[in-house]
């Protein structure tokens, strides 16, 4: 192109290019245009269109779903293990803390008393599960003591709220069926604790 401009500048003002120059320029321009155009035999493919404009909505990766499921499963397993814990287990303090929280959140004395009696029932089952283990001595004695404290506190609250509640007699009968069979497996000190407890709840179950 620069070469052609140089040749044109050499022409006198108002003069026309020679026929040979015009023919050569026309031939070069035509050859350049054809080279720039796509082959007529080759189909022109349209440019791909985006399904939608803007940034696509992010997708949560599969790993995130698996992590969420794993966390939920771990929480369920942990909750079940906590519920099944017995004195001496690492999760047992968490179980007792959950029970205490439920008692404190009770709406009134009747509800609180019932939850304390539920705790006493749980302590009785824990004593039964501890019997025969290698270190059952101190744990059994402590659990029997906690059972009695929960029973007396629950009965006291329930009597204030519902003096003639049938729940008290039912609790006493149920506890007697759980604690009574333990007696032959208890040592001397534990036996004294259990017998005192049974004597207390038998008075609750007596007809009035």
């Amino acid at each position: 192109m620069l070469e052609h401009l140089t040749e044109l500048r050499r022409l006198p003002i108002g003069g026309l290019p020679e026929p040979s120059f015009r023919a050569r320029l026309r031939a070069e321009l035509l050859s350049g245009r054809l080279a720039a155009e796509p082959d007529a035999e080759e189909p022109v493919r349209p440019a791909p269109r985006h399904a939608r404009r803007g940034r696509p909505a992010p997708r949560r990766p599969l790993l995130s779903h698996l992590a969420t499921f794993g966390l939920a499963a771990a929480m369920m397993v942990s909750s079940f293990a906590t519920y099944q814990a017995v004195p001496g287990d690492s999760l047992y303090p968490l179980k007792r803390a959950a029970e205490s929280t439920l008692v404190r959140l009770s709406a009134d004395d009747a509800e609180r008393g019932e939850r304390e009696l539920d705790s006493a029932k749980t302590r009785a089952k824990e004593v039964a599960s501890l019997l025969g283990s290698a270190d059952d001595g101190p744990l059994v004695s402590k659990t029997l003591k906690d059972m009695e404290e929960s029973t007396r506190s629950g009965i006291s609250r329930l009597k204030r709220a519902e003096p003639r509640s049938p729940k008290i007699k039912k609790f006493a009968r149920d506890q007697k069926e759980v604690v009574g069979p333990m007696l032959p497996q208890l040592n001397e000190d534990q036996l004294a604790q259990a017998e005192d407890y049974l004597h207390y709840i038998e008075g609750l179950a007596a007809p009035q």
Side-chain angles (χ1 to χ4, degrees), residues 23-208:
R24 189 172 74 252
L25 179 59
R26 181 174 181 275
E28 289 177 3
L29 290 175
L30 289 174
S31 63
R33 186 182 67 182
L34 292 175
E37 291 178 356
D39 191 354
E41 298 179 357
E42 189 174 350
V44 179
R45 298 178 181 177
R49 296 181 179 178
H50 293 288
R52 56 183 178 181
R53 296 181 179 180
R55 182 176 298 178
R59 297 180 178 178
R60 295 187 67 185
L62 178 61
L63 183 60
S64 177
H65 288 289
L66 292 176
T68 302
F69 176 78
L71 179 60
M75 291 178 65
M76 290 178 63
V77 172
S78 177
S79 298
F80 181 76
T82 301
Y83 178 76
Q84 296 293 327
V86 296
D89 292 346
S90 59
L91 292 176
Y92 187 71
L94 183 59
K95 176 182 178 180
R96 294 298 300 272
E99 288 182 3
S100 298
T101 300
L102 287 176
V103 171
R104 288 195 299 270
L105 293 177
S106 301
D108 50 34
D109 269 351
E111 183 179 353
R112 185 166 186 172
E114 289 180 25
R115 286 181 173 175
E116 287 183 322
L117 294 184
D118 287 340
S119 295
K121 291 180 180 180
T122 302
R123 302 290 86 79
K125 294 176 181 178
E126 290 171 356
V127 171
S129 66
L130 287 171
L131 293 176
S133 61
D135 55 350
D136 64 347
L139 292 176
V140 168
S141 298
K142 176 67 167 58
T143 308
L144 285 171
K145 180 181 178 181
D146 292 343
M147 177 184 68
E148 182 175 357
E149 290 177 351
S150 294
T151 298
R152 291 183 179 275
S153 177
I155 293 297
S156 177
R157 293 181 184 278
L158 199 54
K159 278 185 173 181
R160 286 200 300 267
E162 303 174 8
R164 297 184 178 276
S165 174
K167 299 174 184 177
I168 295 176
K169 291 185 177 182
K170 184 179 185 307
F171 166 80
R173 290 194 299 266
D174 292 344
Q175 281 293 88
K176 184 177 179 180
E177 292 178 359
V178 177
V179 178
M182 302 179 190
L183 300 182
Q185 304 178 62
L186 302 176
N187 62 32
E188 185 177 354
D189 293 336
Q190 297 165 356
L191 181 60
Q193 285 181 277
E195 287 179 341
D196 287 343
Y197 180 78
L198 288 174
H199 179 71
Y200 169 67
I201 62 175
E202 283 174 359
L204 298 175
Q208 297 179 354

